[in-house]
Amino acid sequence: MLTVDFTRFPLAAGDRVLDLGCGAGRHAFECYRRGAQVVALDQNAEEIREVAKWFAAMQEAGEAPAGATATAMEGDALNLPFPDASFDVVIISEVMEHIPDDKGVLAEMVRVLKPGGRIAITVPRYGPEKVCWTLSDAYHEVEGGHIRIYKADELLGKIREAGLKPYGTHHAHALHSPYWWLKCAFGVGRDGEDAALPVRAYHKLLVWDIMKKPLATRVAEQLLNPVVGKSFVAYATKPHLPKAEA
């Protein structure tokens, strides 16, 4: 399930991509399939091991074109182990709401992004996220949990302050908002068979939707995304330096 829309965020074969806070690796895998040279970085060692296994399996299965590369590594988003201007593309999806120093993370992303490079940032959308916080303290009052809710203008302002130029936004995953509202209402810590019946039923619907991609739910989600899309997605570029500075 991708949050970044690659029709709005074009990726060229050979692009060097950093998936920052990659988690389970969904965007890193897609970039690898598209022929990029991918670095998937996260502070969670267990998730990085799993991402590395999937990269190896994809390579063995021939899922990535010739020239594509993929590396999974542990790292700190506030102290990236890369030289300046190392990447053509940076993706950070559903990460910044977890980090106290979000301006520091933005500064590091700008540092490692090449002039003219592109960046995609996704965060939980204000409205649906506010409902979750209202329904359940446990949803956000956990170690490593969400510490802020972004309004769109606030995030875009921080992106501009960091020296980036936003060029597009949209919302995604409207069908997932009701699932999280149900989770929060019935007990966010209850998973699997322990989850309440409405939560289990809706989860089955989401799995079916992800696997089958029926036209009806695709159309429904497109119509609902502007209203209750779970994620806010922003795209930006790093301006080229003026010739005198360069």
Side-chain angles (χ1 to χ4, degrees):
M1 183 186 71
L2 299 174
T3 307
V4 172
D5 181 352
F6 286 94
T7 65
R8 308 177 194 227
F9 190 66
L11 197 67
D15 276 351
R16 185 161 167 78
V17 178
L18 172 63
D19 185 0
L20 181 56
C22 64
R26 57 200 172 105
H27 289 106
F29 300 148
E30 181 64 19
C31 293
Y32 189 32
R33 290 188 187 98
R34 290 171 178 263
Q37 299 176 9
V38 184
V39 177
L41 183 144
D42 201 286
Q43 67 177 3
N44 186 312
E46 184 176 345
E47 288 196 308
I48 284 298
R49 285 192 292 270
E50 286 300 311
V51 170
K53 289 178 184 177
W54 279 105
F55 277 150
M58 291 172 68
Q59 182 180 28
E60 186 174 346
E63 290 189 35
T69 62
T71 303
M73 61 185 295
E74 286 183 67
D76 180 359
L78 289 165
N79 186 23
L80 295 174
F82 310 112
D84 296 355
S86 298
F87 295 94
D88 302 290
V89 173
V90 177
I91 296 171
I92 184 166
S93 183
E94 311 299 301
V95 173
M96 287 180 57
E97 68 275 10
H98 296 272
I99 301 176
D101 186 7
D102 58 347
K103 290 186 178 181
V105 172
L106 275 167
E108 272 294 87
M109 289 190 290
V110 171
R111 181 183 68 78
V112 301
L113 186 64
K114 295 178 181 178
R118 305 174 304 286
I119 189 165
I121 299 173
T122 91
V123 297
R125 184 185 187 174
Y126 182 85
E129 183 77 349
K130 188 68 174 178
V131 173
C132 290
W133 282 48
T134 301
L135 289 171
S136 172
D137 290 337
Y139 172 79
H140 62 96
E141 291 181 355
V142 294
E143 184 178 355
H146 299 186
I147 62 170
R148 71 173 65 83
I149 309 176
Y150 287 102
K151 291 185 177 179
D153 288 347
E154 175 194 2
L155 180 61
L156 291 171
K158 289 185 176 184
I159 289 171
R160 292 187 182 98
E161 288 174 12
L164 297 167
K165 183 178 180 180
Y167 69 84
T169 66
H170 65 90
H171 300 98
H173 310 317
L175 296 182
H176 288 249
S177 290
Y179 171 72
W180 282 103
W181 298 339
L182 288 169
K183 284 269 290 182
C184 291
F186 285 99
V188 72
R190 298 171 60 186
D191 295 312
E193 291 303 314
D194 185 48
L197 178 59
V199 177
R200 297 201 308 271
Y202 200 97
H203 184 262
K204 288 181 180 179
L205 170 66
L206 290 179
V207 172
W208 171 77
D209 176 56
I210 291 169
M211 299 301 294
K212 300 297 185 181
K213 298 181 175 63
L215 178 61
T217 56
R218 296 301 88 213
V219 171
E221 185 154 77
Q222 287 179 8
L223 292 173
L224 290 170
N225 274 336
V227 183
V228 292
K230 183 74 170 68
S231 294
F232 174 70
V233 189
Y235 305 106
T237 58
K238 180 178 178 178
H240 287 279
L241 290 173
K243 288 184 178 180
E245 292 185 44

